[in-house]
Amino acid sequence: MRRILFTTFGSYGDLNPYIAMARVFKANGDQVTIATHTHYREQVERVGIRFVPVKPGEEELGPPEVWTARANHPLTGSQFVVRSLVLPFLQDSYRTIKEIAPEHDLIVSHVLTFAGPIVAEELGIPWISTVLQPSVYFSAYDPPKLGFFNFLPRLKFLGPRFMGWLLGTLVKQTNPWFEPVARLRSQIGLPPSSKNPLIHGHSPYGCLALFSKEFAPAQPDWPPNLRQVGFPLYDEETSSELSADLQAFLDGGPAPVVFTLGSTIVTMETPYYEIAYKAVKALGLRAVFLVGKTPHRIPPAAVSDPQILISPYEPFSHLFPKAAAIVHQCGVGTTAQALTSGRPQVMVPFAHDQPDNAQRVATLGCGVTISSRRLTTPRLIAALKEVLQEPSFAERARHVGTRLQAEDFGHNLRGAIEEFLSGL
């Protein structure tokens, strides 16, 4: 029996993959722990996994409405998340993880849990780094489309040598963000590190790419000890079944278009659902609006419209395959579920990895993209017409979905971990 500590930070899209991994090893007889935000206790413990609270929680962060707009700004959102939501709690995270780490044989860390690798290095515990989205690798062969750097894919023709220099120059601009990491290392007697913790924080023991080769094939400049294990699908935050109201709605007519903004962006002030309602009414479509805890953001006319079903949450894995199309913000967790469902998509990326994820889905031929800053009713109508009326989108989506459904994430994950541990 191994004792594995998983550390993660972020939204449900950052929690659920680690629950998926922990369940694989729990089923194998291993002892697993997830250390993350205090407000995720119920979601972790409801599936029988040990939970350790790590700051920040909702008390420290405050209501999502206060910070989500800044955290998802298309240009400065990533900087705000790192410098204002993560690093102010680095010392607290370090103390918590250091206290529980000696009980474990292995640490598996999220890219934003900077304390995990520090504790592992200090105590001499093996650790494995994980990446949920390919954009984090900042590949010179496959440059990411991100924030200020959304022009990078267009420069790919200049070749990997130039792109490597350019990406390195851009990464250096973020190095000052991580002064708290350097300060903590100095305080506990670890040597200085020149590596950018966000972009180059890969483990020497092993790296897990938690996405499918169908979504992003491996590149020559990815870490040499990396294994791609596929998408870690899990979506049972509150329920593993469709609600009775939704099931009745699905049974009552043609397949609807599903609209979602994930678990974080849905808390922002955005005209997304108002635009969505106008678009589906203009096209005569049925729709499902997944609105989280913000039903007040829904147009009043939609609430009483029999062609619209409004729900706070439904498990994507059960709902998406029943959709005519899926319109979403393109967070990597939602994107993984949408691709696996085999249904065509309209992507409305806001920030972080979302534009890069959207571009990959579009390259696969499974959907079209509208930037959140350019989302209007006419543009959404045109995009929905395109993915619903052009057969190639449904055909490509079905093909990719079938290939993803055939992947065995649990088998791939166990094999990668065994390989890493055997080399220690």
Side-chain angles (χ1 to χ4, degrees):
M1 182 185 73
R2 288 164 299 198
R3 301 169 300 171
I4 305 174
L5 171 62
F6 296 88
T7 64
T8 185
F9 183 103
S11 67
Y12 278 117
D14 300 281
L15 171 68
N16 287 345
Y18 295 83
I19 292 180
M21 287 192 288
R23 293 181 76 186
V24 168
F25 289 104
K26 184 174 183 292
N28 199 48
D30 297 317
Q31 176 183 307
V32 292
T33 302
I34 292 181
T36 189
H37 303 294
T38 56
H39 49 276
Y40 286 143
R41 177 184 294 274
E42 180 181 352
Q43 286 76 15
V44 173
E45 291 184 343
R46 71 186 293 268
V47 291
I49 296 170
R50 181 192 177 200
F51 172 81
V52 173
V54 178
K55 290 183 179 180
E58 289 181 334
E59 291 184 1
E60 292 79 22
L61 293 174
E65 294 82 356
V66 173
W67 52 265
T68 48
R70 294 184 67 188
N72 290 287
H73 189 280
L75 300 180
T76 60
S78 296
Q79 179 176 355
F80 176 79
V81 168
V82 170
R83 303 189 79 170
S84 299
L85 301 184
V86 179
L87 290 177
F89 303 95
L90 179 63
Q91 294 278 355
D92 286 303
S93 299
Y94 164 76
R95 286 191 290 268
T96 300
I97 294 172
K98 184 176 180 179
E99 182 178 350
I100 62 172
E103 307 169 20
H104 298 85
D105 310 307
L106 178 68
I107 297 175
V108 180
S109 66
H110 182 281
V111 70
L112 289 178
T113 56
F114 303 116
I118 291 174
V119 170
E121 183 178 350
E122 181 185 15
L123 301 183
I125 300 172
W127 70 283
I128 291 172
S129 56
T130 61
V131 165
L132 292 168
Q133 52 279 96
S135 57
V136 172
Y137 288 126
F138 252 59
S139 171
Y141 295 84
D142 185 20
K145 183 176 183 178
L146 298 170
F148 283 113
F149 312 145
N150 61 8
F151 59 88
L152 292 176
R154 297 196 298 272
L155 301 181
K156 184 177 179 180
F157 73 94
L158 295 172
R161 177 175 293 185
F162 173 82
M163 289 307 304
W165 170 82
L166 178 59
L167 290 170
T169 302
L170 296 174
V171 168
K172 287 180 181 177
Q173 307 309 307
T174 71
N175 286 346
W177 300 2
F178 300 99
E179 191 278 333
V181 175
R183 186 167 62 249
L184 175 58
R185 292 182 62 88
S186 176
Q187 288 173 354
I188 63 177
L190 291 180
S193 174
S194 61
K195 294 182 178 179
N196 183 293
L198 183 64
I199 305 300
H200 304 127
H202 310 305
S203 170
Y205 297 95
C207 309
L208 291 174
L210 300 174
F211 49 84
S212 172
K213 296 175 182 177
E214 297 289 328
F215 184 56
Q219 300 299 318
D221 54 352
W222 285 7
N225 57 344
L226 178 145
R227 300 294 178 270
Q228 261 182 289
V229 295
F231 287 122
L233 301 179
Y234 174 82
D235 61 346
E236 300 177 13
E237 292 101 277
T238 59
S239 173
S240 60
E241 301 293 338
L242 296 178
S243 67
D245 287 346
L246 175 57
Q247 189 60 62
F249 179 78
L250 294 172
D251 293 340
V257 177
V258 175
F259 292 84
T260 180
L261 284 176
S263 60
T264 300
I265 291 179
V266 72
T267 65
M268 291 170 47
E269 289 290 345
T270 169
Y272 176 83
Y273 288 105
E274 181 179 349
I275 291 171
Y277 183 62
K278 291 177 180 177
V280 295
K281 294 310 290 182
L283 294 172
L285 300 171
R286 288 167 23 107
V288 173
F289 290 172
L290 301 180
V291 300
K293 299 178 181 179
T294 59
H296 58 285
R297 305 259 163 89
I298 304 303
V303 176
S304 57
D305 192 321
Q307 299 304 304
I308 308 294
L309 189 286
I310 300 171
S311 174
Y313 169 80
E314 302 288 344
F316 290 170
S317 60
H318 293 278
L319 173 57
F320 284 1
K322 301 178 186 297
I326 305 153
V327 186
H328 62 99
Q329 86 291 1
C330 231
V332 71
T334 306
T335 301
Q337 293 283 2
L339 283 172
T340 305
S341 76
R343 309 307 301 145
Q345 305 168 48
V346 175
M347 290 82 69
V348 187
F350 283 71
H352 308 301
D353 59 310
Q354 296 166 15
D356 190 72
N357 297 334
Q359 179 170 274
R360 294 176 188 280
V361 174
T363 300
L364 287 170
C366 298
V368 299
T369 302
I370 310 171
S371 166
S372 61
R373 289 174 291 176
R374 302 184 71 246
L375 182 65
T376 62
T377 300
R379 288 193 176 105
L380 182 55
I381 288 173
L384 285 170
K385 282 184 176 179
E386 186 174 0
V387 299
L388 292 173
Q389 297 176 5
E390 170 52 56
S392 65
F393 287 103
E395 292 170 3
R396 285 296 305 161
R398 190 179 308 112
H399 173 74
V400 172
T402 298
R403 293 177 69 90
L404 291 178
Q405 292 161 23
E407 293 184 345
D408 190 337
F409 170 76
H411 172 79
N412 295 341
L413 176 64
R414 286 190 297 269
I417 296 295
E418 293 295 343
E419 182 182 351
F420 293 151
L421 293 179
S422 67
L424 295 181

